Each structure stands twice: as structure tokens, then as C-alpha cells.
Amino acid sequence: MTDTFAARVREMNADAPASAFVEVFGCQQNEHDGELIRGMLADMGFGFTQDAALAKVVVLNTCAVREHAEQRVLGHLGAIGRAGGSPGRIVAVCGCMAQLENSQNTLKRSYGHVNLVFGPGDLARFPELLYTALTKGGRHFNQSDPTAPPEEGLPVLRAAPPRALVTVMKGCDNFCSYCVVPHTRGRERSRAPEAVLGEVRGLIRQGYCEIMLLGQNVNSYRPNPDSAGIRDFPELLAALASLPGDFSLRFMTSHPKDASDKLFSVMGAYGKIAPFLHLPAQSGSSRVLAAMNRGYTREHYIALTERARAAVPGLNLTSDIMVGFPGETEDDFGETLGLLEKVRFNSLFTFIYSPRPETPAANLDGVPPPEVVKKRFARLLETQKRIEATL
Ligand code: SAH
Ligand code: SF4
Ligand code: F3S
């Protein structure tokens, strides 16, 4: 099906190839989806331009994780609209924002030049959706099926070596109370181990030597039970690390409630697995962690990092920390600073809580006042900076 539509668009491009403009916001998963979008566009006969005004097809692959991310996308979209473009141009918005009803309504109401919208689960339908938009005109709003199986075999236009992004699983079932990702990316679905192994073998042959495995929570990787004897993420990692060739493996993200000693011992046992672990803590307060629905306590988290460090010599440990969650008190925040002092992360990604549509935390009272949050954020950065200087 996809091939038929791709062939029809290719036919339209046969005499004079039109050009496409692709911009990607958000995380590495979105980055990789952008590589698939570029791959499909190239396969449909498009060239690429850096100037949206010259493009026949404009694609914005969006992020909705914080309000600021959405504002950035809307800012770029507004500028693209004001700069104008050729008649019959398609402006497509896909990715996480495209899946949210709230954001779709904003696009419908205030961004009339957007004529194609589709969610992150609809990547494989892109040629069909694009063909329809190109030939029928009008505006097309789609929402993807949150349970659609991970797509296989799509054309891909990757960044040049050394680093290659490889999806191992899609979606998230954790429903942290602040997070929009389960609502945008849908349910957890694991790729078959054979497919991942085949893709990585091909990448090594092409000269990629830094393989980054991607999933919202790689530790809940669960392929079909009869898949090559591989039952979970540590086993997949071990199988990948046993492939011949000169390469290293990294992965993200690991959820602390599912990161296991089995994972740490595989990391310690294979030289091809880089000693890097990104283990988002979010907060150092067990009370806040419970309100976030994270499924672990401060003590569990600390013990986990100790076991990881014992199993993986020279481990580089990084984390995500959020401040200003509803109900976060000075004491809770103090516990977060205490966690930093105790664990001594190699580096941190730091965020200010942002209420998101469709998430339960958005209905919680008690968001600390903005001045308080700003101060806490500055103290968080200062503390981490001081720790990093002594590592
Ligand atoms: N699956 C990954 C995280 C993906 S989002 C994990 O669980 O680790 C990346 C980071 O963005 C999260 O770890 C969190 O710190 C931050 N984040 C997510 N939702 C947020 C929100 N509503 N406000 C502020 N930061 C948020
Ligand atoms: Fe969001 Fe939590 Fe899933 Fe990470 S584990 S993507 S923070 S719901
Ligand atoms: Fe953003 Fe979606 Fe990634 S919300 S962080 S692009 S999973």
C-alpha cells in the first residue's frame, strides 16, 4: 500500500523533482522519526531545501513535552506561514503535538496554512497521507492508532556516521502523572529482536560505530516470547554486544523502577557497551515521586545507583530532574539537592514542571509560585555545577 502511494508521488516528481523542508523538534526518538520522514521523501523523489518558502512539502516533526516546546513549534509555524510559499504547498505537522486534541484544535483554529496533521504512529502512512493532500487539496487531520505495531522496513536517510539511532521499542505505559508521552506515543510495543539485530548489523557494515538504542523505557522491552530466545532488554543488549565489528552501544532511557541488576551485569560484562547510564530520578523526595506515579522511592533509587556503579567500572551516570511539581515544598526540594550530593551525577538535564493537557498532574493544586520555582531551579544548577567541578 505504502509503496503504491510512494510510487504515485514519485511519478508526480518524475519530470521536475520538487523539494521538501523538514524540521525536527524534541527528543532523539523524534530525531530518528525525522530520518524516516526524510527517507520516505527522498524515496518519493523529493530533493531537500533549507528554505521552507521554496519547498513543495514542509514537515514539522513536533514535540509536546513542555509548553515551551509547543510554543517553539508554533513560533516556527507562524514564521513559515508569514514567509509564504508556492501555491499548492503542503505544510504538514506530525510528531507528538499532532496527536493531542488540544494542539490539533489550535492548529485548526489559528494556523490555516497547515493542511496535513498526523500522529507519531502514522509514519508508515505518510506517503498515502501526502498523496491525498497533494491531489485532493483541503485540510487533513488524523490521529494515529496508539497500538499500531512498530513500522519495519521504511526508507531512512540517516545522519552521517559515526552515530546511528535505532528504535528498540515505541510508546510508554508508565503514565507518570506529569507526562504527555504516553498520550502522544501510545502503548509500549517492542520490535522483534531479529529486526533490531539485522538493522544494527547493516549499520556496522555501513561504518556506523556508535549505536544508540532508543525507547521511552528500554527496560520494559518485551518481544514476542518465541523471538530468537531473547526475552528482555539485557538479553537484547548482550546479543547486540556479541556482534562482530568495531562499534559501541548506548541506550536511553532507563526507568529506575525497571532497571535491573541483570542490566548492570550485562553492561559490566561486554566491552562494546559504553559505561553510560541515563537514569532519570525526577525528584529526591519519595512523597513527590509517589505523586508523580514514578513507582520507586528515594531509597530505591539511591540503592540502584550504588549497584550500577559496583557492577559497571567507571560508570558515567546522568539523570533528569524536575523542579516545581505541584505540592513540592522546600523540604521536598531540599531532598532533591540532597540526592544530587549523595549520588554525584556526572551531568544532569534539568526542567521546570510544565502542566500538560490530558495529564492528571495538570489538575493538581499547589504549583509553587514562579519566583520560588526560579530560585529552586537556580539552586539546582548551582549545586550540580559545584559537584561537577569536584568529579
Ligand atoms: N521516558 C523518559 C523521559 C522522556 S521526557 C523517562 O522516563 O526518563 C524527558 C524528560 O522531560 C523527563 O525525564 C522529565 O524530566 C521531563 N518532563 C516530562 N514531562 C514534563 C513536564 N510536564 N514538565 C517538565 N518536564 C517534563
Ligand atoms: Fe513520560 Fe514517565 Fe513514560 Fe518517561 S516513563 S515517557 S516520564 S510517562
Ligand atoms: Fe517530545 Fe514526544 Fe520526544 S513529546 S520529548 S518528541 S516523545
Side-chain angles (χ1 to χ4, degrees):
M1 261 314 243
T2 297
D3 282 354
T4 325
F5 287 106
R8 288 185 198 165
V9 180
R10 207 177 301 130
E11 187 75 11
M12 295 165 79
N13 276 327
D15 292 335
S19 52
F21 169 92
V22 180
E23 188 168 16
V24 178
F25 301 80
C27 63
Q28 287 179 321
Q29 261 160 67
N30 243 25
E31 199 55 56
H32 183 52
D33 286 349
E35 296 179 334
L36 298 172
I37 289 162
R38 288 193 183 96
M40 287 186 276
L41 285 164
D43 178 59
M44 288 186 276
F46 289 94
F48 292 94
T49 171
Q50 306 287 342
D51 185 351
L54 301 178
K56 174 78 179 169
V57 177
V58 171
V59 183
L60 266 61
N61 192 25
T62 64
C63 173
V65 75
R66 284 167 290 277
E67 194 189 342
H68 176 71
E70 290 209 46
Q71 292 306 337
R72 261 192 77 209
V73 171
L74 294 175
H76 284 232
L77 255 185
I80 287 168
R82 284 190 299 279
S86 56
R89 172 175 77 169
I90 301 299
V91 177
V93 174
C94 59
C96 285
M97 242 178 99
Q99 186 71 2
L100 297 174
E101 213 170 296
N102 229 32
S103 316
Q104 282 212 358
N105 288 337
T106 306
L107 295 172
K108 270 182 199 157
R109 238 183 291 117
S110 313
Y111 296 81
H113 59 297
V114 172
N115 33 30
L116 174 59
V117 174
F118 59 97
D122 268 342
L123 277 187
R125 289 183 62 212
F126 176 49
E128 173 197 345
L129 298 171
L130 181 61
Y131 177 77
T132 308
L134 282 166
T135 52
K136 297 217 165 95
R139 305 184 79 194
H140 306 264
F141 288 81
N142 304 273
Q143 254 186 333
S144 49
D145 172 359
T147 61
E151 56 282 327
E152 293 294 343
L154 293 183
V156 55
L157 204 59
R158 290 180 192 274
R163 198 183 63 148
L165 306 173
V166 175
T167 302
V168 301
M169 59 171 300
K170 306 197 91 180
C172 181
D173 287 352
N174 289 316
F175 291 94
C176 302
S177 64
Y178 51 81
C179 184
V180 82
V181 173
H183 307 272
T184 62
R185 295 259 163 189
R187 300 289 57 75
E188 285 176 357
R189 288 141 292 155
S190 298
R191 283 182 74 196
E194 300 85 341
V196 178
L197 280 157
E199 185 173 347
V200 172
R201 260 190 223 107
L203 290 167
I204 297 166
R205 269 199 304 273
Q206 291 167 48
Y208 288 94
C209 57
E210 208 180 299
I211 309 292
M212 173 63 104
L213 307 172
L214 298 177
Q216 288 303 337
N217 177 13
V218 289
N219 299 307
S220 41
Y221 178 75
R222 290 283 177 279
N224 278 338
D226 50 8
S227 288
I230 288 173
R231 291 164 302 176
D232 56 22
F233 185 66
E235 292 180 10
L236 177 69
L237 201 53
L240 289 165
S242 308
L243 292 174
D246 190 10
F247 66 95
S248 70
L249 290 163
R250 291 171 198 229
F251 55 90
M252 72 184 297
T253 298
S254 286
H255 193 301
K257 82 175 163 48
D258 301 313
S260 61
D261 292 334
K262 186 172 173 184
L263 173 72
F264 305 150
S265 70
V266 167
M267 287 179 76
Y270 290 85
K272 286 181 185 173
I273 306 173
F276 281 87
L277 183 64
H278 185 58
L279 198 62
Q282 311 301 352
S283 167
S285 152
S286 295
R287 207 183 61 79
V288 172
L289 289 169
M292 288 176 164
N293 192 31
R294 287 291 285 179
Y296 55 87
T297 60
R298 169 193 181 83
E299 291 69 32
H300 175 91
Y301 185 88
I302 292 171
L304 198 62
T305 60
E306 286 167 356
R307 296 207 302 278
R309 281 190 166 132
V312 188
L315 182 68
N316 189 303
L317 186 63
T318 60
S319 195
D320 292 350
I321 298 283
M322 194 192 301
V323 296
F325 188 77
E328 183 189 72
T329 63
E330 206 49 44
D331 282 353
D332 293 320
F333 178 65
E335 291 207 74
T336 296
L337 293 183
L339 183 80
L340 265 51
E341 304 279 2
K342 171 97 190 144
V343 177
R344 298 169 61 79
F345 295 105
N346 293 83
S347 66
L348 275 191
F349 296 88
T350 48
F351 305 102
I352 288 177
Y353 167 71
S354 162
R356 301 285 57 218
E358 301 183 26
T359 65
N363 300 319
L364 294 177
D365 295 329
V367 176
E371 324 77 76
V372 172
V373 174
K374 254 192 214 149
K375 275 193 196 135
R376 285 183 193 166
F377 192 68
R379 283 171 67 200
L380 181 76
L381 297 183
E382 253 164 52
T383 305
Q384 178 60 17
K385 199 171 156 198
R386 181 168 45 70
I387 294 168
E388 282 182 28
T390 64
L391 287 177

